[in-house]
Amino acid sequence: MTVEELIVYGKKYTSSTHTKMLLAVLLEVNPLELLNILDKVVDDSIVNLYKESLKALNENRPIQYVIGHVNFYGLKFKVNENVLIPRFETEELVENIKNYLDKKKITNPKILDLGCGSGVIGLTLKHFFKDADVTLVDISDEALEVAESNAKSLGLDVNFIKSDWFSNVPLDKYDVIVSNPPYIMTDEEIEEIVKNNEPHLALYGGKDGLDCYRKILKDINNYIKDDYLIAFEIGYLEGQDLKELIEKTILNSKIIIKKDLSNKDRMLFVEENID
């Protein structure tokens, strides 16, 4: 079959965008390049893989898992069913941390990424701050395997620890502690494609969505430097409740809740209050 025939075939099963995205990945070209090779005859092995992948998409599997990777902040990360699919708001979280470190002129920060999943946060920060000392933590062996694979493919030297939050993390002081923990409330309605495919261990944070934040905050004072940044991704309904928890836990702190591009509370930052 030719590229053009495969595009027509794919549109029977999924959107035109996903059809071209999938075919471009399998052919190792940019989706825009497909227009220049419409008459190209595709090898049968790729055709068969393409059809199998279309079937998976038709069964409502996320295209990121079908393709096996995502673009995050311009970097290519492997993802599978053992890790969350990174969202745009997580890129915004990284952008804010990057701006903080640039403003403070910290070129060799010590960074702890709690609940790292595929490693997109910690590894992206390591990419931009080559001299950073970055440690990635997760309780899931499978997630750590994905993160380690991403670190290797990106050529980034970081530390990995298997731990339930701080339980196995050696006592040390960090410039930045960042986490995108499970924060979906137990009875919260979410998209079926997310609910049926992404790991529940990384999604659900208890009745009010704050269970994992409580576990992190219980020990966090032992791990932050005097001048620090704590960065959380949060559920859009949880900002004020989490702020109250932090005020009780971290004294003399300045707490900032930021909205994402959809104008929803999605990030919370904690710094030392120097006013």
Side-chain angles (χ1 to χ4, degrees), residues 105-211:
K105 294 182 170 55
I106 304 174
T107 57
N108 59 339
K110 197 171 182 67
I111 299 171
L112 184 66
D113 180 0
L114 289 171
C116 66
S118 61
V120 292
I121 297 175
L123 293 176
T124 301
L125 290 170
K126 177 66 175 178
H127 171 78
F128 284 105
F129 298 92
K130 303 297 185 186
D131 294 326
D133 181 350
V134 179
T135 299
L136 283 71
V137 175
D138 207 287
I139 194 173
S140 165
D141 288 318
E142 294 79 11
L144 286 172
E145 184 178 335
V146 174
E148 289 172 4
S149 174
N150 283 323
K152 184 177 180 180
S153 66
L154 293 167
L156 299 173
D157 183 16
V158 296
N159 311 302
F160 291 97
I161 300 175
K162 181 182 178 183
S163 179
D164 185 5
W165 307 118
F166 286 109
S167 62
N168 292 330
V169 178
L171 191 59
D172 207 342
K173 300 291 184 179
Y174 293 87
D175 297 287
V176 176
I177 296 179
V178 56
S179 186
N180 176 19
Y183 56 70
I184 295 173
M185 301 176 195
T186 304
D187 58 357
E188 186 175 340
E189 291 296 323
I190 61 174
E191 293 178 281
E192 286 295 315
I193 194 170
V194 174
K195 183 177 180 179
N196 295 335
N197 289 279
E198 300 193 46
H200 286 197
L201 179 66
L203 287 173
Y204 291 100
K207 186 175 181 180
D208 62 358
L210 301 178
D211 283 359

Side-chain angles (χ1 to χ4, degrees), residues 71-131:
N71 181 295
F72 183 90
Y73 220 112
L75 302 174
K76 183 178 178 180
F77 285 89
K78 170 185 175 181
V79 292
N80 59 29
E81 288 83 353
N82 296 309
V83 296
L84 290 182
I85 297 168
R87 268 70 175 182
F88 290 122
E89 49 264 32
T90 308
E91 289 188 324
E92 293 180 62
L93 185 73
V94 170
E95 176 75 10
N96 277 271
I97 297 170
K98 184 175 177 293
N99 290 342
Y100 168 87
L101 292 171
D102 287 338
K103 181 181 177 181
K104 292 277 188 176
K105 294 182 170 55
I106 304 174
T107 57
N108 59 339
K110 197 171 182 67
I111 299 171
L112 184 66
D113 180 0
L114 289 171
C116 66
S118 61
V120 292
I121 297 175
L123 293 176
T124 301
L125 290 170
K126 177 66 175 178
H127 171 78
F128 284 105
F129 298 92
K130 303 297 185 186
D131 294 326

